[in-house]
Amino acid sequence: MSTAAGADHGHAHPWYQAHHFKNMEQQNASNKFGMWLFLVQELLFFAGLFMAYASMRYFYPGTWLEAAEQLDKVMGAINTVVLLTSSLTMALGVRAAQLGQNKQVAAWMVATIAGAYGFLIIKYFEYSHKIHVGLLPGKWFGFDELKTTATNAPQIFFSVYFMMTGVHGLHVVIGIGVIFWILFRALRDEFGPENYAAVENVGLYWHLVDLIWIFLFPLLYLVR
Amino acid sequence: MSTSTLDGVGHGAPGTSYLNAKSGLMSWLFTIDHKRIGVMYLVTVLSFFLVGGLLALGIRTELLTPAGDVFSAAVYNKLFTLHGAIMVFLVLVPAIPATLGNFLLPLQLGTIDVAFPKLNLLSFHIYLLGAFFLVFTLVTGGVDTGWTFYTPYSSTSADGNVVAALTGAFILGFSSILTGLNFIVTVHKMRAPGVTWLRMPLFVWAIYATSVIQVLATPVIAITLFLLIFEKIVGIGIFDPALGGDPVLFQHFFWFYSHPVVYVMVLPAFGVMSETITVHSRKHIFGYTAIAASSIAIAAVGFIIWGHHMFVSGQSELSGTVFSLLTFAVAIPTAIKLCSWIATLYRGSIQWNSPMLYSLGFLWIFAIGGLTGLFLATLSTDVHFHDTYFVVAHFHYVMMGGVLFALIAGMHHWWPKITGRMFNDKIGRINWVLAFVGYNLTFFPQFVAGSQGMPRRYHQYLPEFQMWNQLSTLGSYLFGLSLFIILAYLLHSIFKGVKAPSNPWGAASLEWQTKSPPVEHNFEADVICTYGPYDYDAHRAAQS
Ligand code: HEM
Ligand SMILES: [Cu+2]
């Protein structure tokens, strides 16, 4: 700790400040900046999927129109609402953390987790229907109706669909994990006006997951 | 560089350093000290360099004679694939940023550690996990796609463990992303008082530009490899033409990362040059801002020139022309750097020691590599050179020659700081001749053979290329030998070397203003920086 005012001795700074930071301002700014960079990285990760989507749709516009009809617009719409609502509860949780109201934080996290599970459950029903009728990626594709009527490559649409929603779903699952972590920390009464960066960062992540879905939904379900 | 003690508390017994502050294997494997993480990276990277190097010697041995007599074609394909994949993903990408970068960044910024020390350790562990997959590939039958994994070969007919290799490269990407993220935040938020943006050493600027590329480009290769894994397992049909996909799309995805990543390798090498050349010619760097800005310019332009790898892949003539023009553009900031270094040397008091010799070697090698890049960037000549040994020679000059000579220069330059020992400079200087001659003898003949039309990636060749190949193989043995000699005298110095003073080269940047090797928390007192990293006059004045 160099010889900076007593860092080694643990009195000069609050328990939630890591030793290598000079003050909470530096720590919070670093954490937030790091999270934004992480989100940028996420965007580029998804950008590859969007690019694949764009090229394949460009090659097979007819397929896209026909195959998209097989997706359940109602379930997709409900899921959009569910996820948007969970973003709201997350934002309220961040607000509560800033005010140091840990009980509220915990409650809002429970609500957000409920939303995330809701999303996954609906997705589960959608997926199982697709699996059941054979609307699957690549060589697993077995939906005869489209095989004969559609243009070239209906299986590619479902490849893209499962890749995009699958990677997104994975992000939802990871989101549940980190929101649980916030929940436990809130139950231990950890957050306060100086120490809420973790909640804020998980919030940012969750909004990104939400944002990506907002793009996926029209691109996949509402093709015209 | 002035340092001031705020409270004068002691720091353990005299003679403790980051090396002996804690002991035991676990104190290394789970350390969050950036210096130890840097050293661990260095050891692992060099170990994989040995593996990749042995594979290369296998390739060169096969090419001693025109006939395919040492290895079968199938084995040969695996040799060059594993050589390329190991060298790119396990060696060159982390070669400087994760080793010297980790060690030096906080020191040069006058701070205790990187912004996220635990994340830093996590990057290292992820690196080990990715490496495990590549080693697993190596010992379970290899893979023969070439390091470029082009579809449809990789997705349909490839021999070997493609999925394991892809998984390894995928995982390694995250190690690289997290290191980059960590360093960007460190540069922005952790600088000591007085270390303004324009007082950052140029090595830091280079690492910073590198990190930006790592964060922006690596996710794209990650998703590409992810999709390719599913192409291989399920046949998703995005890249495989037989299933309706587009193999050129794969190439675009691949090079969107893999062109920028060559700057992930070489920008840190530029950074090393900007330190060694000024320190060992005892002269303020020429064109500080131009060098710093050109790092950023290279990072930016590097993102929009990937198409030069695809001039003959069937992209449109218009994109070919545009990519060609943009590729020429990237030579401008690169040349600005080279000229600035040479101008720094001009009238400097050049020290003919190992770090300087390897730096001069870098200038020579990189100039050749960069200029031949321009031949390749020219559409009409590239139609002839593409997929010949000319390309192989080009990228070995820039990647292997450039990065390796810079890494060796840097290792010599910072060796006293890292280990606290001086190496035997006399052996170093003599051995440099062997390394320099061996290196050029290995790769220069490949330009000739390539320009005469010798294709890459075959285990046989026409008899008329034999002389060039034998020269090249001889060179590779000499070069390999010189590397072992470096290893030997550096290791020897750890045990028998003279103890290093804190600032053996009289450098002005911050890392030299603490003990060699540094104490666990880098500086004995809080750092306040009052002059720039190359301001030798101010430094001398402050010392006296
Ligand atoms: C002045 C700068 C440079 C220019 C103009 C340039 C240009 C090119 C061109 C046009 C190609 C494609 C040749 C072909 O496949 O037909 C190429 C290949 C390559 N270059 Fe460069 N280059 C430059 C610097 C670098 C640097 C600094 C590195 C690495 C540190 C690098 C690494 C590579 C690699 C790895 C390949 C080929 C990869 C493969 O096909 O396996 N280049 N370069
Ligand atoms: Cu390139």
Side-chain angles (χ1 to χ4, degrees), chain A residues 1-3 20 26 60 138-139 159, chain B residues 11 115 189 234 236 244 521 525:
Chain A
M1 239 41 56
S2 178
T3 50
H20 63 292
Q26 188 186 31
Y60 306 113
K139 67 180 179 203
S159 298
Chain B
H11 302 275
K189 304 290 180 200
V234 196
I236 52 175
H521 293 306

Side-chain angles (χ1 to χ4, degrees), chain B residues 6 25 30 49 96 131 149 219 242 256 304 348 398 431 441 458 469 497 508:
Chain B
L6 292 187
L25 185 64
F30 292 96
F49 181 65
I96 297 180
F149 299 117
F256 182 83
I304 47 174
V398 275
N431 183 54
L441 189 60
Y458 286 89
N469 277 288

Side-chain angles (χ1 to χ4, degrees), chain B residues 17 37-38 99 167 216 264 283 303 339 348 390 464-465 480 540:
Chain B
S17 72
I37 293 176
T99 60
T167 310
L216 295 183
V264 169
K283 194 160 152 267
F303 268 102
C339 295
F390 194 91
E464 66 245 43
F465 301 125
R540 232 166 293 142

Side-chain angles (χ1 to χ4, degrees), chain B residues 255 258-260 262-263 305-306 308-309 327 394:
Chain B
W255 291 114
S258 295
H259 183 77
V262 306
Y263 296 111
I305 63 180
W306 77 90
H308 64 218
H309 296 272
T327 304
H394 157 68

